[in-house]
């Protein structure tokens, strides 16, 4: 199990164990269930994981696999669930209905909340595809939440608020503060069990951090109250290091030695025979699509230090109308600053041929900064929605988590055939060479 640093004292656990290694045993299975159940069996076996809630009664648990039958995520106080009437929290995800339950009994009084098809949410089982299903338990706010993909409030599909009892009444849900053991319930074959991966966050899903990073000297109470911006201190330490490198006022495109840098880039993009026009033609089809608009330019700044996928600092040039494929970022951290123009960021709940619609987006303008890490904004598509002749330039900065010992070297993306592909972060030019050659081309246009 790898413990990955998260916001301040928060931790995100990515369980590398899979199959039998993820589970410490079957709690209710066949004849064993008769020995362990003092009341009655459940209809399905229950598999206990090695992971426990760090703080009893709160946290978010996710399981990623291809589920072809309904299943449940169960939180219990004891490792041995003594029967179907023992107090638990169970999320049962099915084809046509999804249920929060307070015990494993099939009785109607076991149901906390239920959602059924037809409805305007996809809070149900996704068959014939790999999906991440997560359950959030929040003892302080008495909230149960279910979602798919990243553990985010924007991706909540179904939730239930547990009632609080009055002073003279017994608190029917006081037991949730003691829940700590995590199990899966379902008719899983050994083949399915061997494919299940799990991750865990010690906090419940509450409020998502906003995408825009604002200097602490400029943030206001209104920004904090409305959640329109965050400060770098709220993010991973790695994001802070990257931000410190590029957020300064002097990290700009146009400089005294080349005041027409941005104009020169635009000119070279739209003028046949110029270096950027020809390079973009050459890159057509790089992502398996014949559309010239699915191209952009990567100018590396500095060298590969071994702590990022490719060179950590990249000047990216996005011609008007151009875009990237939907892709992720090796689970690394990143800071993106707009140096010229504007660009639209679309975010997706996972990298899959089934995830074509963004769950959110924003347009970033000159000097604005956004971020991503393994938990949030990791899968996106960048799109310069401006017309031809209005390019966007961004400085992209990447860094692996300090505790990442694998250093996956690729950005994965979905190609035109809906197939997962690997992109090796490359370089069209080194920055120093690029600036010299472009300046020469820019000046020669007057001759």
């Amino acid at each position: 199990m790898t413990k990955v640093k998260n916001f301040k004292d928060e931790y995100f656990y990515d369980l590398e164990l899979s199959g039998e290694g993820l589970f410490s045993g079957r709690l209710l299975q066949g004849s064993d269930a008769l020995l362990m159940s003092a009341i009655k069996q459940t209809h399905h076996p229950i598999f206990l994981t090695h992971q426990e809630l760090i703080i009893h009664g709160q946290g978010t648990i996710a399981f990623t696999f291809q589920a072809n039958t309904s299943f449940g995520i169960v939180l219990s106080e004891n490792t041995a669930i003594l029967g179907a009437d023992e107090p638990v929290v169970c999320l049962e995800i099915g084809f046509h209905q999804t249920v929060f339950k307070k015990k494993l009994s099939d009785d109607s009084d076991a149901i906390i909340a239920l959602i059924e098809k037809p409805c305007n949410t996809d809070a149900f089982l996704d068959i014939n595809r790999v999906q991440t299903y997560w359950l959030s338990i929040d003892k302080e706010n008495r909230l149960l939440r279910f979602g798919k993909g990243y553990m985010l409030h924007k991706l909540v599909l179904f939730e239930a608020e547990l009632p609080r009892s009055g002073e003279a009444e017994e608190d029917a849900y006081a037991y949730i503060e003691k829940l700590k053991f995590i199990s899966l319930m379902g008719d899983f074959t050994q083949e399915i069990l061997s494919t299940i991966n799990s991750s865990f966050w010690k906090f419940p899903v509450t409020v998502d951090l906003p995408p825009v990073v604002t200097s602490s000297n400029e943030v206001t109470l209104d920004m904090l109250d409305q959640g329109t911006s965050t400060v770098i201190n709220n993010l991973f330490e790695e994001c802070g290091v990257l931000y410190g490198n590029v957020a300064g006022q002097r990290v700009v495109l146009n400089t005294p030695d080349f005041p027409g840098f941005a104009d020169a880039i635009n000119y070279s993009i739209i003028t046949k025979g110029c270096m950027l026009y020809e390079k973009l033609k050459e890159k057509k089809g790089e992502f398996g699509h014949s559309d010239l608009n699915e191209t952009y330019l990567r100018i590396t700044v500095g060298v590969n230090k071994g702590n990022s996928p490719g060179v950590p600092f990249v000047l990216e040039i996005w011609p008007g109308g151009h875009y990237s494929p939907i892709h992720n970022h090796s689970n690394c951290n990143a800071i993106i600053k707009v140096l010229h123009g504007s660009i639209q960021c679309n975010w997706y709940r996972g990298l899959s041929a089934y995830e074509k619609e963004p769950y959110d987006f924003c347009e970033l303008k000159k000097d604005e900064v956004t971020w991503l890490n393994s938990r949030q904004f990791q899968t996106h598509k960048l799109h310069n929605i401006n017309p031809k002749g209005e390019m966007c330039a961004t400085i992209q900065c990447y860094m692996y988590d300090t505790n990442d010992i694998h250093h996956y070297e690729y950005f994965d993306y979905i190609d035109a055939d809906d197939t997962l592909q690997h992109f090796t972060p490359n370089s069209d030019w080194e920055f120093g060479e690029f600036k010299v050659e472009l300046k020469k081309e820019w000046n020669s246009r007057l001759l």
Side-chain angles (χ1 to χ4, degrees):
M1 180 179 69
T2 300
K3 184 173 75 172
V4 182
K5 287 190 301 184
N6 207 321
F7 309 125
K8 294 299 183 182
D9 62 339
E10 304 177 21
Y11 291 95
F12 182 76
Y13 292 79
D14 192 4
L15 304 187
E16 296 167 354
L17 301 170
S18 63
E20 290 186 342
L22 176 61
F23 304 98
S24 57
R26 302 183 179 191
L27 284 189
L28 298 176
Q29 174 73 1
S31 60
D32 293 337
L34 296 176
L35 298 175
M36 301 180 70
S37 175
I39 305 176
K40 61 180 179 178
Q41 298 182 54
T42 63
H43 290 300
H44 305 287
I46 297 178
F47 301 85
L48 178 69
T49 73
H50 284 293
Q51 182 59 55
E52 300 176 13
L53 297 178
I54 293 178
I55 302 173
H56 298 178
Q58 78 168 42
T60 308
I61 310 98
F63 292 97
T64 302
F65 64 113
Q66 182 172 313
N68 296 320
T69 61
S70 60
F71 72 95
I73 302 174
V74 183
L75 304 178
S76 60
E77 180 182 354
N78 302 299
T79 55
I81 299 174
L82 298 178
D85 290 324
E86 179 175 334
V88 298
V89 163
C90 177
L91 167 67
E92 288 188 4
I93 306 165
F95 297 105
H96 302 291
Q97 72 173 25
T98 292
V99 187
F100 286 118
K101 299 173 73 172
K102 58 186 176 183
K103 54 186 179 179
L104 299 181
S105 165
D106 288 332
D107 297 339
S108 60
D109 66 350
I111 296 175
I112 298 172
L114 177 148
I115 187 170
E116 294 182 301
K117 291 183 178 179
C119 62
N120 59 356
T121 179
D122 68 338
F124 308 99
L125 201 70
D126 290 328
I127 59 173
N128 298 321
R129 57 166 295 191
V130 174
Q131 182 59 276
T132 297
Y133 304 90
W134 55 259
L135 165 65
S136 168
I137 180 170
D138 183 351
K139 67 180 180 181
E140 300 297 337
N141 296 303
R142 289 291 183 98
L143 285 171
L144 303 177
R145 285 175 166 148
F146 161 55
K148 297 178 186 176
Y150 297 107
M151 301 173 183
L152 300 173
H153 184 265
K154 281 188 175 291
L155 296 179
V156 173
L157 298 170
F158 178 41
E159 66 178 32
E161 183 174 1
L162 305 179
R164 298 178 185 272
S165 300
E167 292 184 5
E169 300 175 310
E170 181 181 357
D171 189 347
Y173 291 99
Y175 73 89
I176 69 169
E177 299 188 5
K178 300 178 182 179
L179 300 179
K180 64 175 181 177
F181 294 105
I182 304 167
S183 304
L184 264 184
M185 179 177 69
D187 290 320
F188 300 119
T189 64
Q190 189 58 49
E191 181 181 3
I192 293 295
L193 284 176
S194 68
T195 66
I196 296 175
N197 289 304
S198 178
S199 53
F200 167 75
W201 191 29
K202 84 168 190 177
F203 288 98
V205 169
T206 53
V207 178
D208 303 332
L209 284 175
V212 177
V213 183
T214 299
S215 165
S216 56
N217 293 324
E218 298 177 1
V219 73
T220 67
L221 289 176
D222 287 333
M223 289 180 183
L224 297 176
D225 180 57
Q226 296 165 15
T228 57
S229 187
T230 189
V231 295
I232 196 62
N233 307 71
N234 288 331
L235 306 183
F236 281 21
E237 177 184 344
E238 293 82 359
C239 282
V241 171
L242 298 173
Y243 183 84
N245 276 272
V246 300
Q249 295 181 357
R250 293 179 60 123
V251 179
V252 295
L253 205 57
N254 294 334
T255 53
D257 65 318
F258 195 178
F261 203 165
D263 289 338
I265 292 173
N266 262 324
Y267 174 82
S268 188
I269 289 171
I270 64 175
T271 305
K272 188 174 181 179
C274 285
M275 55 187 281
L276 303 190
Y277 181 97
E278 296 302 324
K279 175 62 72 171
L280 288 165
K281 277 178 54 180
E282 177 186 319
K283 296 189 71 173
K284 182 179 178 180
E286 181 177 25
F287 300 109
H289 198 287
S290 60
D291 186 359
L292 178 63
N293 286 338
E294 196 176 49
T295 57
Y296 65 100
L297 301 171
R298 292 174 52 88
I299 295 90
T300 49
V301 181
V303 299
N304 191 332
K305 302 175 182 179
N307 63 351
S308 62
V311 175
F313 300 100
V314 185
L315 172 65
E316 294 189 350
I317 307 298
W318 301 87
H322 286 226
Y323 57 89
S324 72
I326 300 171
H327 63 283
N328 60 23
H329 299 82
S330 309
N331 275 330
C332 74
N333 307 277
I335 289 291
I336 302 171
K337 177 181 177 180
V338 179
L339 302 179
H340 183 83
S342 64
I343 198 157
Q344 181 173 291
C345 293
N346 298 324
W347 296 293
Y348 302 82
R349 68 181 187 183
L351 188 66
S352 166
Y354 298 95
E355 303 290 351
K356 296 293 185 68
E357 295 299 321
Y359 70 82
D360 199 8
F361 71 93
C362 81
E363 185 175 2
L364 297 167
K365 299 178 176 59
K366 185 176 182 296
D367 296 328
E368 289 189 324
V369 175
T370 190
W371 62 279
L372 59 88
N373 62 21
S374 57
R375 283 201 65 249
Q376 197 168 346
F377 307 128
Q378 176 69 201
T379 302
H380 75 192
K381 172 181 177 178
L382 297 181
H383 189 180
N384 182 354
I385 60 176
N386 295 299
K388 180 179 178 180
E390 295 185 20
M391 70 86 184
C392 173
T394 62
I395 181 70
Q396 320 260 142
C397 321
Y398 306 102
M399 184 181 289
Y400 293 117
D401 280 332
T402 303
N403 290 359
D404 185 345
I405 61 174
H406 300 293
H407 285 201
Y408 186 72
E409 296 287 345
Y410 306 100
F411 292 165
D412 291 340
Y413 67 96
I414 301 296
D415 69 10
D417 297 321
D418 290 337
T419 303
L420 183 72
Q421 302 286 357
H422 307 304
F423 171 72
T424 302
N426 56 22
S427 177
D428 297 313
W429 285 280
E430 294 180 356
F431 179 74
E433 174 196 8
F434 174 76
K435 188 173 181 179
V436 168
E437 291 300 316
L438 191 70
K439 188 174 183 180
K440 187 187 302 182
E441 180 182 83
W442 177 244
N443 291 335
S444 67
R445 84 193 193 286
L446 302 175
L447 300 179

